[in-house]
Amino acid sequence: MAIFNLNINGKKQQVEVDPATPMLWVLRDHLQLVGTKYGCGIAQCGACTIHLEGQAMRSCQLPVSAVGEQAITTIEGLSEKGDHPVQKAWLEHDVPQCGYCQAGQIMTAAALLNSNPDPSEEEIETAMNGNICRCGTYLRIKAAVKTAAAS
Ligand code: FES
Ligand code: FES
């Protein structure tokens, strides 16, 4: 066990955990930030996507010991009132079906628009490609990313 001082959603958070603990479980089990979901645990589905210094990152394969003071953002901290342009576009297009994958989808889309505010169709497909949706909401996801980019 070791103590880690983390910077999560703009707040300092201290946890005492095994250094190998994936951030996914630090967030969910120690900080009750359960919007970040467990899908595969092996960086293959995107359900656990968070931002590390604004970049999309799979928290299931990110040990807490690798984070340091880098800024982490989870779906709970993406906006104060759920009004990030990506979240607004998601509502407009009524994207979610069961909803399980959607926090990861939104975090991936928001990171894409951070680094590329006007992505081409191909760039959207490439960025979103690794986020699996078992409900098949892919067409609405793509449309919502385009709307968010245009807003
Ligand atoms: S749970 Fe992390 S990528 Fe699937
Ligand atoms: S909305 Fe059900 S898994 Fe994506």
Side-chain angles (χ1 to χ4, degrees):
M1 291 288 200
I3 291 177
F4 296 93
N5 291 300
L6 302 167
N7 172 5
I8 298 177
N9 296 334
K11 276 201 261 174
K12 302 277 177 220
Q13 300 271 14
Q14 190 175 79
V15 292
E16 186 172 3
V17 290
D18 185 306
T21 309
M23 272 309 301
L24 172 62
W25 303 117
V26 172
L27 294 169
R28 290 185 58 85
D29 291 350
H30 296 268
L31 300 172
Q32 285 71 53
L33 291 167
V34 295
T36 305
K37 301 299 189 209
Y38 168 70
C40 64
I42 53 169
Q44 295 295 309
C45 76
C48 65
T49 304
I50 58 172
H51 293 177
L52 187 66
E53 294 288 342
Q55 307 273 325
M57 184 68 58
R58 298 193 166 186
S59 62
C60 68
Q61 289 290 307
L62 176 66
V64 63
S65 57
V67 171
E69 291 181 0
Q70 296 178 90
I72 284 183
T73 308
T74 69
I75 188 71
E76 290 89 348
L78 186 62
S79 63
E80 278 191 17
K81 298 181 183 157
D83 57 355
H84 184 283
V86 170
Q87 291 170 306
K88 290 202 311 209
W90 245 243
L91 281 176
E92 186 180 328
H93 289 271
D94 207 6
V95 173
Q97 196 162 314
C98 82
Y100 197 84
C101 72
Q102 296 291 329
Q105 305 279 5
I106 288 171
M107 295 308 282
T108 301
L112 165 66
L113 298 181
N114 274 348
S115 62
N116 181 359
D118 187 21
S120 66
E121 182 126 354
E122 200 181 343
E123 287 168 332
I124 294 173
E125 279 170 14
T126 301
M128 301 306 300
N129 193 29
N131 281 69
I132 308 295
C133 174
R134 65 190 168 186
C135 302
T137 62
Y138 299 113
L139 291 179
R140 294 200 296 276
I141 287 171
K142 203 197 301 180
V145 175
K146 283 187 198 164
T147 295
S151 65

